[in-house]
Amino acid sequence: MARKRRTRALAAAAILGVAMAGMAAPATWAGPGDFAVTGGNEGTDWSYASGCLTVTEGGTYTISMAPGLTFTTEQVVVAAGVRAELTLDGVSIDRSGAGAGSPLAVKPGAAVDLTLTGTNTLTAADSAAGIAVEVGTELTITAASTGSLAAVGGQRGAGIGGYRFAPAGDITINGGTIAATGGREAAGIGGGQYGAGGTVTVNGGHVSAVGGLNGAGIGGGLQGSGGTTTINGGTVAAEGNERSAGIGGGWYGGAGAVTVTGGAVTATSGLRTAGIGAGYDATTAGNVVISGGAVDAVGGDYGAGIGAAMSGAGVTIDISGGTVTATGGQVGVGIRTGSGMLTIGGGQVTAVGGAFAIGSASMSLTPARYAYWTNGVPQASGSDRFFYPADPAFAPANSIRYAKFDLAPVGSATVADAIITGVPGLTLPSGQTAVITLHDAVLSAAFTGHDIAGWFASLPTGLTASANGAAGSQTVTVSFAGTPTATATAPLALTVPGTALLGGQDLAVAPNPDARFDITTPYAVTLSVTSPYAFPGLTRGYDPGDATARPVLVTNTGTNPTGPLTVAMSGANPSAFALSSGSLNSIAASGDASFTVLPVAGLPSGAYTATVTVSGSNGIIASFDVSLTVADPGASAPKPEPTLAANSDLPLTGAPGAMPALWAALIALMSGLVLLRSSRSWGHR
């Protein structure tokens, strides 16, 4: 009855249009026919002839009705290759009785940014679209649109998109209120008769799309596939007609590629077809991907909510997020892929079928909290209880008609305050635990002392972690043990893997600054001198001022004050060195103190060694070795032999009063040669 009422209304509008077609603008009006144009210049940027306003150059234009007119049978055309910004302000064009043509036509290669203000109505003639957007053209309805548009296609023409034999081009809706109605065998938005859906993207606005007989709401016309439809936002209501999807293929048309990432989407289909998916008897496969938004898809009798039609090619379905309700019609299926693959990896999905909840030849289900009903009787959860025949045309009496999957990302997990303390090199004190609480998630199996070291981003080296918790529990107790090998002062950072949760998704535990590792050394110091330290050499009889004192900085690297410290000499020759102080006052954490070490005066020649040790009553001990060489007067330390580079001069350097060994050897060699020559000369005499 609703369709008959709509048909009668359109017929009445057509009669009214014919009756008023003769109305023209007032005689005093000198504008372009029945239109008023702001922007550009007539004859240069746009022209008017024979009832057609043509935009011929790129620019910004506002088109409204001529004074005194409320509608016209004329048309607006954007010429091929032109990129223009148009505003329709209260424009009403009805060409249903004009014989041919679209009220607004975007010619090949042209691109239009269309802004709507006021109320606009565009009604096409037979075989034409309300707004003609064919392959190779672009139409963008801007986010700045505050008005509305009713676009009605003629027989075989889309409300917005293609006309007979013409697939749609690129259509983007960012705002405004849009109502698009396709003519017989054409889509509301998309392809005309025998035309595919083109590329339709909805980012915002309020969109209503109704297909004509055998046409999709958004997608293909008769024998047209759904093209590429992407919904990222806005509110979308799409209604397919007989054997055609709400979003997807027309009769005989495949689903195309339907993607929903956001927005609120309602899609209903005609007889034997899916709310979102393929048309009846589809000849090509398609796919539906839902990762967000709120989707409510309802199939016609014998049709699925989402997926393949009762007959025809399959549809691959991947749901990873959002809230999705798929309801099949009488003897229909909630979600049906036919020969395609169904993957449910996230989101909140409800499938209700007149026959089966789900029909799929192949299915991948991430484990989750879910329930299903058999003829209204709730059953125990368990994926092993599901059975999904590929073509459940006739369901057995005990069929699963309702399935609900709750795979939305689990809410959160927290860890209670817990400071895990220890000392490097010492066994961790027993009884140290941390409690993890799961929110909107439960353990998939019992944990009894299971090793969960892999849950931690950085478990201190040498420690182990084990978990205890009952299946279905929301509490996990983690016990720590082992011998840490190094200090560690960091929050407990861990992720509960999806394999441990009924939801099947990894869950990062929220950081808690009061839940941390505190593996520290409470009492420790470091010394600024690296062992061994060699004092500069001295000569016997040296003056006391010749010896250089070595300062030593003592830094507290522990977490507690050091308490009083003792500084002492030991080793082979402790008396050869003097300390500036034999004790140090307590050093605060991260603080420091200093003393000096100095060779004593009057040491005879020789080598001296000793050890400097800083110690405390709390187990603190740190030390380094020192050494000193006192030489006899006139003696020198051995010098390394010089190394000669190729063609280099001989070095003539050495200690004062001493001849370099290599130079001496050379002189000796030359002297020998001279003596040898002299002896030979003497022999000749």
Side-chain angles (χ1 to χ4, degrees):
M1 290 297 294
R3 296 186 189 281
K4 291 181 178 179
R5 285 195 298 269
R6 182 164 59 247
T7 301
R8 287 197 295 268
L10 291 176
I15 295 171
L16 179 63
V18 171
M20 299 183 67
M23 293 181 63
T28 57
W29 173 243
D34 292 346
F35 301 109
V37 179
T38 301
N41 296 301
E42 184 175 8
T44 302
D45 302 307
W46 53 267
S47 63
Y48 176 82
S50 303
C52 181
L53 172 63
T54 303
V55 177
T56 56
E57 295 292 336
T60 301
Y61 310 93
T62 297
I63 301 173
S64 57
M65 301 303 298
L69 290 184
T70 57
F71 86 101
T72 181
T73 60
E74 297 180 346
Q75 66 179 150
V76 178
V77 172
V78 178
V82 172
R83 304 187 68 88
E85 297 178 3
L86 297 185
T87 295
L88 293 185
D89 183 5
V91 172
S92 180
I93 302 175
D94 187 346
R95 294 189 61 78
S96 59
S102 296
L104 173 59
V106 183
K107 293 300 184 179
V112 173
D113 288 345
L114 177 63
T115 300
L116 303 171
T117 60
T119 301
N120 300 274
T121 303
L122 304 176
T123 303
D126 284 353
S127 299
I131 300 180
V133 185
E134 58 186 288
V135 173
T137 65
E138 300 176 18
L139 172 69
T140 299
I141 299 179
T142 69
S145 296
T146 58
S148 64
L149 169 67
V152 181
Q155 299 297 322
R156 298 173 290 278
I160 301 174
Y163 41 89
R164 192 179 190 194
F165 296 110
D170 291 350
I171 302 167
T172 301
I173 300 175
N174 295 324
T177 300
I178 314 300
T181 303
R184 181 185 178 92
E185 299 180 343
I189 300 176
Q193 184 189 47
Y194 310 127
T199 300
V200 178
T201 303
V202 180
N203 298 315
H206 301 276
V207 179
S208 171
V210 178
L213 181 65
N214 302 324
I218 298 176
L222 174 65
Q223 298 186 19
S225 72
T228 300
T229 302
T230 303
I231 301 174
N232 300 315
T235 301
V236 177
E239 178 184 343
N241 212 302
E242 298 295 330
R243 301 176 179 84
S244 302
I247 301 175
W251 189 8
Y252 297 109
V258 180
T259 301
V260 180
T261 67
V265 180
T266 301
T268 59
S269 70
L271 182 69
R272 297 185 174 89
T273 315
I276 299 176
Y280 185 67
D281 286 335
T283 58
T284 58
N287 61 80
V288 176
V289 177
I290 302 174
S291 61
V295 178
D296 186 1
V298 180
D301 287 350
Y302 301 94
I306 298 176
M310 184 178 178
S311 174
V315 177
T316 296
I317 302 172
D318 187 335
I319 302 174
S320 61
T323 301
V324 180
T325 301
T327 305
Q330 183 179 357
V331 198
V333 183
I335 298 176
R336 182 178 186 274
T337 65
S339 59
M341 172 76 176
L342 170 62
T343 301
I344 301 178
Q348 295 172 305
V349 183
T350 300
V352 182
F356 273 84
I358 295 178
S360 179
S362 181
M363 178 172 176
S364 173
L365 171 65
T366 299
R369 300 179 305 285
Y370 55 82
Y372 68 85
W373 281 253
T374 300
N375 293 339
V377 180
Q379 304 291 317
S381 296
S383 60
D384 59 323
R385 301 293 301 277
F386 283 93
F387 177 66
Y388 307 100
D391 295 289
F394 299 97
N398 64 345
S399 62
I400 300 169
R401 297 186 178 184
Y402 181 101
K404 183 175 182 179
F405 306 83
D406 183 1
L407 291 94
V410 287
S412 61
T414 56
V415 57
D417 295 354
I419 300 177
I420 311 305
T421 61
V423 177
L426 300 179
T427 301
L428 202 71
S430 62
Q432 301 204 64
T433 61
V435 177
I436 298 171
T437 300
L438 306 175
H439 306 275
D440 297 325
V442 295
L443 292 175
S444 59
F447 282 76
T448 307
H450 286 54
D451 178 11
I452 60 166
W455 293 14
F456 287 84
S458 57
L459 186 67
T461 305
L463 292 190
T464 62
S466 58
N468 290 277
S473 173
Q474 292 185 294
T475 301
V476 183
T477 301
V478 182
S479 300
F480 299 93
T483 302
T485 60
T487 60
T489 55
L492 274 63
L494 69 158
T495 298
V496 182
T499 53
L501 300 174
L502 193 58
Q505 300 181 46
D506 292 352
L507 177 61
V509 177
N512 177 1
D514 293 321
R516 65 183 186 275
F517 294 107
D518 189 18
I519 310 300
T520 59
T521 303
Y523 300 101
V525 298
T526 58
L527 306 178
S528 62
V529 178
T530 302
S531 183
Y533 174 75
F535 282 95
L538 298 172
T539 303
R540 181 166 48 82
Y542 59 87
D543 292 330
D546 294 338
T548 302
R550 180 64 170 92
V552 181
L553 186 68
V554 183
T555 301
N556 182 359
T557 56
T559 57
N560 296 331
T562 62
L565 300 176
T566 299
V567 185
M569 302 295 307
S570 62
N573 311 109
S575 61
F577 304 91
L579 298 169
S580 61
S581 175
S583 64
L584 297 173
N585 293 329
S586 179
I587 305 173
S590 301
D592 54 56
S594 63
F595 65 91
T596 60
V597 186
L598 178 69
V600 300
L603 291 174
S605 57
Y608 301 89
T609 62
T611 299
V612 180
T613 301
V614 177
S615 60
S617 61
N618 292 316
I620 292 175
I621 186 166
S623 64
F624 63 94
D625 295 330
V626 294
S627 64
L628 171 69
T629 299
V630 179
D632 287 328
S636 61
K639 300 293 182 179
E641 292 294 336
T643 301
L644 298 180
N647 302 320
S648 65
D649 295 331
L650 291 173
L652 298 178
T653 60
M659 180 178 292
L662 187 59
W663 185 249
L666 182 58
I667 293 176
L669 178 61
M670 294 178 64
S671 299
L673 291 175
V674 171
L675 292 175
L676 179 61
R677 179 178 179 86
S678 298
S679 62
R680 288 180 177 176
S681 300
W682 182 263
H684 285 302
R685 292 180 184 177

